Amino acid sequence: MQLKTYQKATLDTLDAFFARTLATGPAEAFQHAVEEQEKFAHLEGRKLEPRTYQPLQAFPDVPYVCLRLPTGGGKTLLAAETIRLATRSYLRRTWPLTLWFVPSDAIKTQTLEALKDRAHPYRRRLDENFGGHVRVFDITEFEMLRPQDLARSACVVVSTIQAFRVTNTTGRKVYSHHEELETHFSGVPTEGMEVVSPEEEAENDMLTEGAVKFSFANLLYHQRPLMIVDEAHNAVSGLTREVQARIRPAAIVEFTATPRGRNNILHSVTASALKDEEMIKLPIRVRPHDDWREAVTGAVATRNMLEEKAKRDRDHIRPVVLYQAQARNGHPTVAELKTYLIEEKLIPEDRIKIATGEQRELDGVNLRDPAEQTRHVITVDALKEGWDCPSAYVLCATQRLQSRGAVEQLLGRVLRMPYAARRKDAALNSAYAHVSEPSFREAAQALTDKLIYMGFIDEEVRESLKPRGVEQNDQGELFDPDPVRPKPVLQFTVPDSEVARERLNAWQDAGVDYIQRDDGVLIVGVKGEVTDEVAQGVREITREEDHAHFDAQLEKHRATVESGRTLAQKGHVIEIPQLLVEMEGETFLAETDAIMERVDWSLDRHSARLTEKELSFHRSQDVIEIDLEGEKLVYSRTTEDQPILSGLHTPSDADLEASLVQWLERECRVADITQAEMLPWIAAVVADLVTNREVNIRTLIDWQHQIAARIRWKIQAIRDEVKTRAHQMALFDEGAKPTWSDSRVVRFDDTIYQNVPTQTTGAFRFTRHLLGADRAPLIDGDLNGEEFQCAWSLDSLDEVDVWVRNVARHPDSFSLPRVGRRFYPDFVATLRDGRVFVVEYKGEHLIGAPEAREKDAIGRIWARTTGNLFLMVRKVAHGVGMVDQMRNALAKG
């Protein structure tokens, strides 16, 4: 299982935090991480919420951080990876003990099944990280944990928080005395451990009041486990802090979609990052209904539409609807809903499954099996945890959204993307919600609240919620409530009848909707373009005497639609050639990683030495001072005889050195450097420290984890240096062969940026914007004033035929290669002479920065290679404004 980009970024932040914590303590390490993120956000024009580290009261020196990932972000996989990072970068032990907290028995069962299954990706990650020496225990199995397990394996104990969260520990299993655990306490210091109470002595004459209990909690207190907390927003309470004091963890890492209160948010992942990585279905298309029967009818129709589209997909997908029924005192109950599906919607009974506390018809059912017929799942709240089916596409909420707390859990179930890959048909990339809310505004507000609860930020909610249907204003006029791109609505009335409603429902996906009036009339609205088929069909259900009026309204509506058509809808496109490079007879997209694959590089060509700045030892009496990334870390020398490396019991320093080298090679191993190359290079690093720096081998062993961290950073620095040289050689040096091809272009047309939020320009009208006169896709919700001026300047040029904002980090946008990353220019345009004009705006405070110079250089290479134009625009350059800067660039051509 390959980690996604956002998952790697999350783990990199956590790894750096752990490494720096050893040098500075958790508070300063946390602040450093926050400052680094703020610098990066500033370069992108974003502003982050202020964060301050809040230490645990009982253990202020214990690192305690939270990683925020929205629903569907892979928290369990990252939790498994966290064990590796914490072990090598902070815990300084070979075999860690991890206490893995989950919020419920359902999640515990799901987590244990994954971690105990050696074929499961999560367990495979653990086995790869610890050489197969992994033991996983249910909290109910802790008596099976042996001292040799802790000495030879990475041990993981999965438990609910409730098993530990008590005020009075008497009688609770994890706090009780267990003779089976006695061997763990031989020769162990017992200060601070819980002792036998008078009540316990009275109940068991084998116990002595005041004696240390052989309890699992006391075992944890001695071992100081890594604590992982899943769904941490359910764990924040004073009592939980009391539990932490009893366990005495070495470090705490929380995972949640919605941090609350005291959580120290070290790293946040946006839901848009999940969408970019094709992990979740977005947008969510919402359809409000007057009552639950209409909601069910709409959900069935949507599912049927999706199944027809899924038949043409490359992978097996059978879309599923999740219905949220009501408890026995509400309507519809599970039985009422099932009866309605069978008798009114004619759904075969074998296609319906019920999942409640009493009826567990999904147990043992594999919904990914092509032979499995389930298409409809009815639940109350049994699916809120521990259930995952990426083929679940449609949520049907049968009661007003404000009245149930479990809807967001079902909504989370329909967000997973099948096979974690976008489908060819756009309809299969969206999630759908049919809700019993009379008003779209109320439905949207309710779902907004629930999405925020699931980890979406406010901006992402606005982008993700897409309404379906029409609404009626105070004047009785129908309008499209879509906050992103509303369309004109054709309005007419027809007599209310079952036949009329069925016909209108059948045309729902063509933009047809209706509102029932009490006087037996349906007010019908058709959004956007009206096809001849729909026009003829709806005309047939109007009264004959209304045909002439309908025809006139249709003609007027079509004229309105035509006048509002964008340049893209009229066939204009922008095609931008991508920058390619030719190396070793191959032509490929100019990206650093692709270039690196064709560059011959080796560690043995680089100095196998840690410099004084990278890692220096200074002995002064009984103190060793180690310098890590410019921060001084001072420790008193330990008198412990037991070496940190397991198995090193020989008095030979040469053997110790060889064992240390082997251990460091395992810790620093990377996929693209062979062991045959890595081992002698690391041996040379260690030999330099022992011979030239005169550092005792046992001192190196004491600091093995810090040295491993520095070696990993050194290798990454070497790799970055090689990347920079390769990038320069492939694109800028005299022998470089940048090129392009007609077949490798980025195309901007009517389908581009359909899910990107827009902002109205008020009275101002762009005349040449690809996607509309008064709207433009925006990044991060806004264009700053100077960028808007740049857009206005571009739009005013007669030489420009059409232009569009190039949304940064969007998978369909145009980008150019930087070293190890991509550069997304602000605007792209087609000129009337057929050339492409690419414009990047830079504020005065950034124009001379290395990043700006790098972007300007690669932009010029692209322009020279493809015969097009690139310009980095400033507000004023040598007394010349933006418009004239552009005109001058076009004139020089």
Side-chain angles (χ1 to χ4, degrees), residues 16-164:
F17 166 78
F18 275 137
R20 187 170 287 273
T21 294
L22 282 173
T24 67
E28 289 189 32
F30 181 86
Q31 188 60 36
H32 181 268
V34 170
E35 290 171 357
E36 289 296 305
Q37 292 167 24
E38 287 175 344
K39 290 177 186 176
F40 187 74
H42 177 70
L43 290 175
E44 295 187 328
R46 297 184 292 116
K47 187 174 182 179
L48 301 179
E49 290 294 324
R51 287 170 286 164
T52 303
Y53 186 78
Q54 301 179 59
L56 294 175
Q57 283 187 342
F59 305 107
D61 294 329
V62 169
Y64 160 49
V65 291
C66 177
L67 303 177
R68 173 195 172 274
L69 293 98
T71 297
K75 292 192 290 293
T76 307
L77 175 62
L78 293 189
E81 284 292 293
T82 293
I83 298 175
R84 171 182 64 89
L85 294 185
T87 300
R88 77 177 191 181
S89 298
Y90 180 76
L91 297 179
R92 293 182 295 171
R93 55 191 297 179
T94 304
W95 307 114
L97 172 63
T98 303
L99 183 60
W100 187 314
F101 276 140
V102 295
S104 68
D105 287 328
I107 296 294
K108 186 183 78 166
T109 299
Q110 183 185 33
T111 304
L112 281 167
E113 287 176 353
L115 296 182
K116 286 192 173 187
D117 180 1
R118 292 188 178 275
H120 195 283
Y122 300 161
R123 176 56 183 267
R124 288 206 305 268
R125 302 292 294 206
L126 285 175
D127 283 340
E128 289 169 5
N129 292 334
F130 294 99
H133 297 285
V134 178
R135 299 292 310 279
V136 180
F137 300 87
D138 188 331
I139 186 62
T140 60
E141 303 168 332
F142 68 74
E143 293 165 333
M144 300 168 58
L145 186 65
R146 303 165 301 170
Q148 51 266 44
D149 292 324
L150 297 172
R152 301 172 186 170
S153 302
C155 296
V156 181
V157 180
V158 183
S159 173
T160 61
I161 297 170
Q162 291 76 13
F164 285 81

Side-chain angles (χ1 to χ4, degrees), residues 450-594:
K450 296 179 188 308
L451 284 169
I452 292 172
Y453 180 83
M454 293 160 59
F456 289 64
I457 59 177
D458 291 329
E459 292 81 2
E460 293 169 329
V461 170
R462 288 197 293 272
E463 179 178 350
S464 301
L465 276 179
K466 293 294 180 67
R468 299 191 64 184
V470 298
E471 280 199 54
Q472 191 173 15
N473 61 23
D474 295 338
Q475 288 74 44
E477 299 169 333
L478 298 186
F479 67 97
D480 180 3
D482 189 334
V484 178
R485 291 188 180 90
K487 301 174 182 177
V489 176
L490 168 65
Q491 176 178 329
F492 55 94
T493 59
V494 300
D496 189 0
S497 70
E498 186 174 345
V499 172
R501 289 196 300 272
E502 286 182 359
R503 280 214 189 178
L504 295 172
N505 286 332
W507 295 320
Q508 184 182 88
D509 290 324
V512 179
D513 200 0
Y514 61 89
I515 294 173
Q516 289 179 282
R517 279 199 333 215
D518 295 335
D519 58 358
V521 170
L522 299 178
I523 305 177
V524 182
V526 187
K527 292 191 299 186
E529 188 170 344
V530 182
T531 66
D532 291 340
E533 180 184 2
V534 170
Q536 180 60 33
V538 295
R539 189 178 191 275
E540 291 174 359
I541 61 174
T542 61
R543 290 185 292 258
E544 186 173 350
E545 58 268 28
D546 292 335
H547 283 180
H549 177 69
F550 173 80
D551 293 341
Q553 290 295 101
L554 176 62
E555 182 178 355
K556 180 180 178 181
H557 174 76
R558 282 177 166 169
T560 301
V561 170
E562 179 60 29
S563 66
R565 283 162 62 85
T566 66
L567 292 176
Q569 290 167 339
K570 294 176 181 178
H572 287 256
V573 298
I574 302 173
E575 290 189 337
I576 309 179
Q578 294 179 295
L579 184 62
L580 310 179
V581 65
E582 182 183 338
M583 290 179 66
E584 299 180 352
E586 293 184 81
T587 300
F588 53 92
L589 192 64
E591 291 185 324
T592 306
D593 289 344

